[in-house]
Amino acid sequence: MLSPVIPFASPLPRPRGQLTPGDPAGAFPLPAGQAVGVPTPRDFASLVDPTGEAPRPTEQAVTVPTPRDFASLVDRKAAVPLPDTPVVFDCEDVEVYYGAFRAVRGVTLGIREHQITAFIGPSGCGKTTMLRTLNRMHDVIPGARVAGRVSYHGIDLYAPEVSAPEVRRRIGMVFQKPNPFPKSIYDNIAFGPRINGIRRKAELDAVVEKSLRAAALWDEVRDRLKHSALGLSGGQQQRLCIARTIAVEPEVVLMDEPCSALDPIATARIEELMRELKSLYTIVIVTHNMQQAARVSDRTAFFTTEIDAQRDRRTGILVEYDATSKIFSAPSDERTENYITGRFG
Amino acid sequence: MRSAPVRSIDLGARRSWRTTQSALMSAAMVAAVVLVAIPLVAVLWSVFARGAGIVVRAFPAFFTQTIPMISRKAGPGMGPAIVGTVLVTGGATLVAVPVGVLGAVYLHEYGGSGSFARLVRFMATVMTGVPSIVMGLFIYLVWTMNFGYSAFGGALALACLMLPIVIGSTEQMLRLVPASLREASYALGATRSRTIVAIVLPAALPGIISGVLLAIARAAGETAPLMFAVGAATAYNPRLFHEANTSLSLQIFGNATSAFPAAQDRAWGAALTLVLFTFLITLIARVFTARLALKRSS
């Protein structure tokens, strides 16, 4: 999708026979008033060389966008104050280790019910690691360890008497790459209900239809439920994975960059789906796409990396966590502002 | 966009050391393939040339009649040996496949890099290198000395040979199952055992089956381990656990080393039968895995 206009620090080498810089005929036409405001398709038009002869824009020609670029996307939310729904996850000073390597440290945040919480930040900042902490997906990785307290509706998720499979049944997860089972579409959806003891065919049929409808996939696959799920397109596969997740009726849906492998149309459908599912579930989404976070989320947590001098390794930290409208219009931390304006990251 | 100014470009092929080198390497590779193919074709040719006549002249009696008691007498057949081969390899499969597949599941899914799993994996690798006659001797001591000759003794000896192959190929196939499938299953609340049974094993099944059938085809032709355990029968013996039996490989060995031309002819016939038998197993394996792959992609 749209990305912030990138200042061309070093202009690309010019083809031979081009106009010299400063020549008014070759000057890059920058429409006034476009530097600030909603990114429209025109933003891209301005990046495309209209004549094939004009020199590439230079640094002086492009203004660095301000945080206001995103404000327009979240303004409508800012008008209505965020409701203080009950806290689902309460993380206190969470640290995650892979062996001796500390991937994240000192994360304290509360995730609220029936809201979409987005985790954003540069690569390696621990967004995904934090997400996987929320449904105990680290248990299956040898050497991974969680310290600190993660409570779910007041229950310590990492208490010895808590069963990880039960946690994961209540807290579902959609992965970055669509990962349907090499089975039929029907069996993909029915797998979860089956392991939870639903055996009767009529009941399974109903769950399959309901889940596929909720994931806006039913009309596309109703005639080929018995066909392999691997024959679906990438966007359909990802919606199938969402349908599979909600088939077990979870309370929370965690999404790990669910649109990174999809085209803009499929992304739009999944974002639409997230907004619809919000009334039923609590959603936490990790995304690299800031516009996506601004468009869909209610609250945003910005993570970044910090060099751990003692161990000489990078550790992820939580910088700022607030209402999305605030993060994208008036972030209180300079690092957040630098990141969302594209000056860093 | 205006296209770049046209320059004169020569796209024609040019002779250079590079193209010569490429031609030389291609020739060397073709030569290597031919060298490999010569013994293969020669073996098949001699087996068919000498065996086909024997089998066709007495068809289908060669496959159904019992083996002549007096080996210098000319004539069919190899019926008991075919039944014996099916019994011995079938029995070996029944022993080796469940143990091997379950063992591989333990090694890959539970044992991981623990010291016990590493020891077992090491022993399995060592077992691959043990000469088959040593396996036969071992079964002779452990089984045949106590219970006498039977097809099952031979099956046990072959199972010892198949076991490391089955463990190795199954573990390899389990390793190929993507971690994302396991994660998807865990994320739906499945336990580890459920994930293995419902997701991992079905995903690895085509590979496991072809590994197993390869092991069967290899075991079917073994002679040495059977000599101690199976005995030498000339009549039909369909019982797995009782009395001496025979097999195609044993008949090939026995008849080929005989002084009588009639017996040597029977050995060629048995050799052709064994080649066809393993060919059939391989064919079934191919069809089966192709079917599975098709079902998946449709």
Side-chain angles (χ1 to χ4, degrees):
Chain A
M1 291 301 289
L2 306 172
S3 63
V5 180
I6 300 149
F8 285 84
S10 58
L12 294 169
R14 292 192 197 122
R16 277 163 299 146
Q18 271 201 335
L19 299 166
T20 49
D23 187 327
F28 185 71
L30 189 82
Q34 275 294 313
V36 175
V38 189
T40 64
R42 285 206 150 255
D43 272 292
F44 291 109
S46 64
L47 290 174
V48 179
D49 196 334
T51 60
E53 286 189 338
R56 291 290 189 171
T58 54
E59 199 169 1
Q60 305 93 303
V62 179
T63 4
V64 177
T66 65
R68 294 220 153 254
D69 271 39
F70 297 98
S72 59
L73 288 171
V74 291
D75 267 346
R76 90 196 133 73
K77 278 178 199 146
V80 187
L82 268 182
D84 278 346
T85 49
V87 172
V88 177
F89 289 102
D90 195 2
C91 302
E92 255 179 62
D93 203 20
V94 173
E95 297 192 343
V96 184
Y97 293 86
Y98 295 118
F101 169 56
R102 185 166 64 178
V104 256
R105 70 164 180 84
V107 176
T108 299
L109 54 78
I111 290 165
R112 290 179 183 275
E113 201 165 38
H114 297 309
Q115 292 188 354
I116 300 179
T117 305
F119 289 178
I120 61 167
S123 295
C125 69
K127 311 178 292 287
T128 299
T129 299
M130 259 320 284
L131 193 75
R132 293 168 67 98
T133 306
L134 300 179
N135 71 339
R136 290 192 57 171
M137 284 301 282
H138 291 308
D139 289 25
V140 295
I141 300 172
R145 188 165 63 80
V146 176
R149 193 179 143 88
V150 184
S151 62
Y152 177 67
H153 290 294
I155 301 160
D156 183 2
L157 271 187
Y158 287 84
E161 68 274 12
V162 170
S163 139
E166 181 57 24
V167 167
R168 297 190 202 113
R169 198 201 60 70
R170 287 163 180 270
I171 307 167
M173 192 163 199
V174 176
F175 298 84
Q176 182 173 3
K177 250 179 73 186
N179 54 356
F181 299 128
K183 296 172 184 280
S184 71
I185 293 169
Y186 183 96
D187 287 337
N188 260 278
I189 309 286
F191 178 77
R194 277 190 184 126
I195 62 175
N196 288 300
I198 298 179
R199 287 266 169 272
R200 290 213 339 273
K201 188 161 183 317
E203 213 173 327
L204 281 175
D205 287 351
V207 172
V208 169
E209 182 175 342
K210 194 178 139 211
S211 311
L212 285 171
R213 278 190 194 281
L217 192 60
W218 175 253
D219 292 329
E220 288 160 63
V221 301
R222 59 189 306 170
D223 300 325
R224 44 177 178 152
L225 291 177
K226 295 291 170 198
H227 289 226
S228 170
L230 301 181
L232 297 174
S233 73
Q236 288 175 325
Q237 287 190 4
Q238 194 61 304
R239 275 181 285 148
L240 179 76
C241 292
I242 294 174
R244 184 175 67 184
T245 302
I246 57 187
V248 294
E249 295 178 354
E251 293 151 16
V252 180
V253 178
L254 308 177
M255 294 182 164
D256 185 3
E257 294 183 47
C259 303
S260 67
L262 306 180
D263 69 15
I265 296 165
T267 302
R269 298 200 69 148
I270 289 189
E271 285 179 9
E272 187 56 40
L273 191 58
M274 279 189 252
R275 279 188 281 264
E276 282 167 20
L277 295 176
K278 195 169 87 166
S279 57
L280 296 166
Y281 310 100
T282 304
I283 297 176
V284 186
I285 174 178
V286 164
T287 179
H288 262 297
N289 182 331
M290 283 179 283
Q291 277 85 355
Q292 182 170 60
R295 277 193 303 263
V296 301
S297 73
D298 299 302
R299 286 171 202 274
T300 299
F302 171 67
F303 290 78
T304 192
T305 55
E306 178 195 68
I307 292 173
D308 189 333
Q310 270 181 319
R311 295 164 218 243
D312 194 30
R313 298 291 294 267
R314 283 174 176 278
T315 300
I317 50 164
L318 173 65
V319 174
E320 193 174 350
Y321 175 51
D322 214 322
T324 300
S325 52
K326 176 137 189 319
I327 292 273
F328 283 102
S329 56
S332 54
D333 196 293
E334 196 190 347
R335 289 169 291 180
T336 314
E337 186 173 342
N338 286 344
Y339 183 73
I340 63 174
T341 52
R343 260 174 289 200
F344 150 75
Chain B
M1 294 282 270
R2 227 165 46 183
S3 63
V6 178
R7 277 186 298 156
S8 73
I9 305 168
D10 180 14
L11 292 176
R14 258 164 290 184
R15 287 232 157 263
S16 71
W17 171 234
R18 201 165 54 76
T19 51
T20 319
Q21 210 176 14
S22 166
L24 281 175
M25 289 314 287
S26 302
M29 282 185 278
V30 170
V33 169
V34 171
L35 269 178
V36 170
I38 285 172
L40 275 175
V41 173
V43 166
L44 281 179
W45 172 251
S46 58
V47 168
F48 271 88
R50 306 228 200 170
I54 316 296
V55 173
V56 171
R57 211 176 304 139
F59 187 83
F62 191 82
F63 295 136
T64 55
Q65 282 187 20
T66 56
I67 304 153
M69 294 274 278
I70 305 150
S71 66
R72 72 167 181 279
K73 220 180 89 184
M78 276 295 148
I82 294 171
V83 170
T85 297
V86 170
L87 271 183
V88 170
T89 43
T93 307
L94 286 181
V95 174
V97 169
V99 176
V101 170
L102 290 177
V105 167
Y106 170 79
L107 285 183
H108 187 255
E109 305 289 329
Y110 292 92
S113 52
S115 53
F116 177 68
R118 279 217 304 264
L119 180 75
V120 173
R121 210 174 280 128
F122 176 71
M123 294 310 286
T125 317
V126 170
M127 239 170 106
T128 324
V130 173
S132 57
I133 194 155
V134 176
M135 292 294 185
L137 206 57
F138 165 69
I139 295 300
Y140 179 73
L141 285 173
V142 173
W143 182 267
T144 316
M145 295 277 273
N146 299 318
F147 303 100
Y149 287 131
S150 69
F152 190 69
L156 281 183
L158 291 190
C160 291
L161 285 173
M162 285 169 71
L163 201 56
I165 305 177
V166 173
I167 290 178
S169 66
T170 305
E171 203 186 350
Q172 196 65 43
M173 289 305 141
L174 292 176
R175 206 170 293 149
L176 291 180
V177 176
S180 64
L181 287 187
R182 293 168 210 268
E183 288 197 330
S185 173
Y186 291 138
L188 291 167
T191 56
R192 185 185 252 197
S193 53
R194 189 72 196 228
T195 301
I196 292 167
V197 172
I199 302 297
V200 177
L201 283 177
L205 196 64
I208 294 176
I209 289 173
S210 38
V212 163
L213 286 162
L214 221 67
I216 294 174
R218 221 205 100 179
E222 280 290 345
T223 317
L226 301 185
M227 291 203 291
F228 302 99
V230 172
T234 52
Y236 278 108
N237 178 8
R239 289 172 304 175
L240 184 59
F241 293 96
H242 301 284
E243 308 291 325
N245 214 315
T246 188
S247 81
L248 284 168
S249 55
L250 286 175
Q251 286 302 322
I252 295 168
F253 178 73
N255 283 307
T257 50
S258 154
F260 307 109
Q264 290 165 12
D265 281 349
R266 266 196 302 279
W268 283 110
L272 179 63
T273 315
L274 187 57
V275 168
L276 292 178
F277 182 79
T278 48
F279 176 71
L280 202 69
I281 291 175
T282 319
L283 199 71
I284 292 169
R286 284 294 164 97
V287 170
F288 200 78
T289 44
R291 277 266 174 89
L292 274 179
L294 215 71
K295 215 170 144 193
R296 245 150 238 264
S297 60
S298 71

